[in-house]
Amino acid sequence: MKNPSGRHAGTWFNRAAFRQPYPELVDALFASGEALPAIVVFADGWTSFGGSQFLDSPATGRYRSYLCDEIVPFVDARYRTVADRDHRALAGKSTGGYCAMVTPMLRPDLFGALATHAGGALFDVGYRNELPRRSRLLRDLYGGYLDYGATAFRRALKAVGVPDDRIYFELFDAGHGGIEYRYPLALAWPSERMSA
């Protein structure tokens, strides 16, 4: 699927002051031996309207189908993967984090693990409280951030009997941005479990 707004996957390499871009963090993680070898794929889900959340939508396109039916087979056909769900994980942040939460539930045949960082979810709950506060504090846009979606997702996993040793959950003092230093954990933790 051609991205109508241009190619945005290159933004993974953007450099901010005093921070490493995520691809460099991934390289350092594997070089340190803190994670088992893995193939890391960066998918572009950006649309002319913003993030697609990798949903199939008549407005933005068939991005979940693109991910599941085109990207996964493409990678499996061209790289030395172990082409089964127990050796494939999905991770993302924000709209990509939402994709990482929802897609494995809809396609458990493809993905056996997930990691979400500030994944958008429970939109009505999060924005119901957020918008009035933001409208009053337009000059201070760096207020606290509580991840309602991740908390609710964890509760739902526990409610259906997913054991604690299969969930790594952590809320930490930060905002929605500038958390790429947390992403390598999302590679290391599932790689250990998928290799066991």
Side-chain angles (χ1 to χ4, degrees), residues 21 26 37 53 75 77 93 95 125 138 150 152 158 170 183:
V26 170
Q53 295 182 295
V75 171
K93 185 224 177 199
T95 60
V125 174
L138 287 176
K158 293 179 77 59
E170 181 180 31
Y183 303 165

Side-chain angles (χ1 to χ4, degrees), residues 25-110:
L25 293 169
V26 170
D27 286 343
L29 174 73
F30 291 123
S32 73
E34 294 177 31
L36 296 172
I39 296 168
V40 179
V41 177
F42 294 86
D44 185 355
W46 200 253
T47 75
S48 58
F49 301 107
S52 68
Q53 295 182 295
F54 286 94
L55 298 172
D56 284 347
S57 163
T60 60
R62 297 181 45 81
Y63 279 86
R64 178 170 299 118
S65 295
Y66 167 63
L67 173 67
C68 297
D69 301 336
E70 294 183 41
I71 293 177
V72 169
F74 177 88
V75 171
D76 285 342
R78 286 162 180 81
Y79 298 93
R80 290 177 30 178
T81 64
V82 179
D84 65 51
R85 69 175 298 280
D86 293 332
H87 293 90
R88 191 180 295 118
L90 193 57
K93 185 224 177 199
S94 194
T95 60
Y98 178 79
C99 167
M101 285 190 285
V102 173
T103 301
M105 289 188 286
L106 298 173
R107 292 299 305 269
D109 59 310
L110 289 180

Side-chain angles (χ1 to χ4, degrees), residues 34-36 187-196:
E34 294 177 31
L36 296 172
L187 293 174
W189 193 80
S191 76
E192 292 172 15
R193 275 126 196 97
M194 287 190 290
S195 67

Side-chain angles (χ1 to χ4, degrees), residues 175-191:
H176 193 71
I179 60 171
E180 64 279 343
Y181 68 95
R182 312 276 315 162
Y183 303 165
L185 178 62
L187 293 174
W189 193 80
S191 76

